[in-house]
């Protein structure tokens, strides 16, 4: 049995036509629809700048979000300011929506600092490279909300199809289920975990795992911003109301490389990429806005102009970023630095000072 390729709940077809659904409505007003379109376009631009900056040697690495804009912006619009969000390393759209600046997004990838933003202020955790670890952090946070007796807030944890194979994710889901923690598991199934396809992660559709833990799971068309918003809103509302966790599998596609260190032409076909290009998350929203005359040509031109501006700001922020002294690598780990580490630090400082510039 191959994992199902059905895209799940869909409210907007790839051609930009609305679709009726028995459980979820497309009750998003024109203003919010335009905002989501704008944020998706800006996310794509920041992402393109990140890739370009890495290619120009300005970043050590970039992690492209190309193609996953609806899965990210749709879900981000379901969160309130009080909700706490735990990302992986690819949620640039969610980050920007939460108020992380493009420059802050680049910080750790330029090697300028360990994080880049204030998780408390933005209610958006730091990027986590250790696959699945943030799902446990999220459940712990959600259990904290319960123990504080706080109501009306919930937690979202993003993770990937590959991360679903981590023990941490299963443990997180079981803890969340047993304690009825207010947490929503947002799985972006982008079909690949570097070079490993989803068919090598699971023999059943990922959303069905939720049943085994004892909470609802749903698959949603991750390239349909309306459907992602509707389903995530439903899940967050039940979590905030004390009805426990839910799992959402956003069925999407990573259009770019895993990171700038990866060459996806080595392991996947042009035909597969082309097929997904026909389901582009941004063009279907644009088609809807145009057909229903919810936006005029001036709006689209303004968004494009703003994207150029944000692109320029992204580059400027990258170049303006102060870089720490290399020996800071040794700081921030121990309150009292052990002698061996202190010796290594001194040796390293002497070595770097042996160069003229
Ligand atoms: C615990 C752990 N094991 C392995 C890795 C190396 N690694 C980084 S990303 C990745 C693939 C993740 O795929 P997926 O969860 O589908 O997320 P995606 O990158 O597709 O968004 C792997 C194996 C890691 N970062 N952490
Ligand atoms: Mg993946």
């Amino acid at each position: 049995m191959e994992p199902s390729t059905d895209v799940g709940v869909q409210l907007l077809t790839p051609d930009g036509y609305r679709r009726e659904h028995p459980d979820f409505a497309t009750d998003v007003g024109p203003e919010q629809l335009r905002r989501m379109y704008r944020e998706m376009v800006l996310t794509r631009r920041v992402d393109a700048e990140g890739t370009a900056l890495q290619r120009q040697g300005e970043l050590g690495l970039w992690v492209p979000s190309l193609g996953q804009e609806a899965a990210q912006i749709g879900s981000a619009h379901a969160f309130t300011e009080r909700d706490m969000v735990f990302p992986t390393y690819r949620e640039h759209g969610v980050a920007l929506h939460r108020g992380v600046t493009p420059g802050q997004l680049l910080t750790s990838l330029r090697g300028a600092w360990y994080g880049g933003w204030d998780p408390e202020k933005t209610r958006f955790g730091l990027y986590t490279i250790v696959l699945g670890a943030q799902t446990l952090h999220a459940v712990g946070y959600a259990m904290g909300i319960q123990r504080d007796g706080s109501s009306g807030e919930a937690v979202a944890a993003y993770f990937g199809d590959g991360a679903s194979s981590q023990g941490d994710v299963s443990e997180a889901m079981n803890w969340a289920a047993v304690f009825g923690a207010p947490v929503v598991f947002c799985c972006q199934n982008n079909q690949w975990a570097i070079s490993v396809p989803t068919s090598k992660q699971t023999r059943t559709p990922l959303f069905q795992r939720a049943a085994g833990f004892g909470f609802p799971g749903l698959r949603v068309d991750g390239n349909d911003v309306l459907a992602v918003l509707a389903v995530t809103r439903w899940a967050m509302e039940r979590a905030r109301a004390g009805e426990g966790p839910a799992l959402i599998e956003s069925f999407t596609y990573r259009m770019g490389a895993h990171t700038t260190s990866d060459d996806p032409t080595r392991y996947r076909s042009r035909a597969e990429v082309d097929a997904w290009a026909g389901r582009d998350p941004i063009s279907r929203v644009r088609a809807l806005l145009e057909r229903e005359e919810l936006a005029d040509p001036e709006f689209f031109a303004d968004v494009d102009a703003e994207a150029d501006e944000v692109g320029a700001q992204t580059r400027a922020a990258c170049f303006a970023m102060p870089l720490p002294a290399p020996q800071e690598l040794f700081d921030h780990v121990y309150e009292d630095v052990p002698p061996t580490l202190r010796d290594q630090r001194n040796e390293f400082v002497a070595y770097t000072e042996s160069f003229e510039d």
Side-chain angles (χ1 to χ4, degrees), residues 68 88-90 129-131 159-164 166 188 190 192-194 254 258:
Q68 297 180 220
T88 70
Y89 40 72
R90 204 185 290 284
I129 309 289
V130 182
L131 295 176
F159 64 104
D161 43 284
S164 73
Q166 287 292 131
Q188 285 178 88
N190 63 6
W192 291 93
I194 315 184
R254 192 195 78 213
H258 170 70

Side-chain angles (χ1 to χ4, degrees), residues 276-320:
W276 279 93
R279 305 182 197 169
D280 184 80
I282 298 184
S283 51
R284 80 173 73 178
V285 178
R286 183 171 180 141
L288 175 71
L289 287 169
E290 287 178 336
R291 175 166 332 93
E292 295 188 355
E293 296 182 12
L294 303 174
D296 53 22
E298 201 189 331
F299 165 78
F300 294 111
D302 285 350
V303 171
D304 289 344
E306 189 183 357
D308 288 342
E309 223 169 89
V310 169
Q313 286 165 7
T314 306
R315 289 191 298 277
C318 180
F319 300 137

Side-chain angles (χ1 to χ4, degrees), residues 244-256:
L247 166 64
I248 300 167
E249 177 190 358
S250 279
F251 204 71
T252 182
Y253 196 74
R254 192 195 78 213
M255 291 301 292

Side-chain angles (χ1 to χ4, degrees), residues 172-246:
M173 287 188 185
N174 196 44
W175 274 82
V178 167
F179 288 93
V183 58
V184 174
F185 296 97
C186 300
C187 178
Q188 285 178 88
N189 177 358
N190 63 6
Q191 314 302 325
W192 291 93
I194 315 184
S195 57
V196 180
T198 314
S199 58
K200 290 283 182 291
Q201 303 290 351
T202 185
R203 304 307 291 167
T204 55
L206 288 171
F207 73 94
Q208 288 183 2
R209 279 199 197 167
F213 291 105
F215 54 83
L218 268 180
R219 180 182 278 179
V220 61
D221 181 345
N223 286 13
D224 170 358
V225 77
L226 289 182
V228 175
L229 170 58
V231 171
T232 314
R233 195 186 266 161
W234 161 79
M236 292 298 288
E237 279 170 3
R238 12 182 342 276
R240 284 185 213 110
E243 291 168 41

Side-chain angles (χ1 to χ4, degrees), residues 248-270:
I248 300 167
E249 177 190 358
S250 279
F251 204 71
T252 182
Y253 196 74
R254 192 195 78 213
M255 291 301 292
H258 170 70
T259 67
T260 47
S261 300
D262 168 54
D263 173 7
T265 63
R266 298 287 295 273
Y267 54 79
R268 65 186 192 184
S269 71
R270 186 73 243 170

Side-chain angles (χ1 to χ4, degrees), residues 63 69 74 96 109 136 144 182 220 227 249 260 269 295 312:
V63 189
E69 295 87 354
L96 295 168
L109 297 169
L136 284 172
V220 61
E249 177 190 358
T260 47
S269 71

Side-chain angles (χ1 to χ4, degrees), residues 124-136:
F124 183 75
L126 293 177
Y127 276 172
T128 303
I129 309 289
V130 182
L131 295 176
Q134 74 282 358
T135 59
L136 284 172

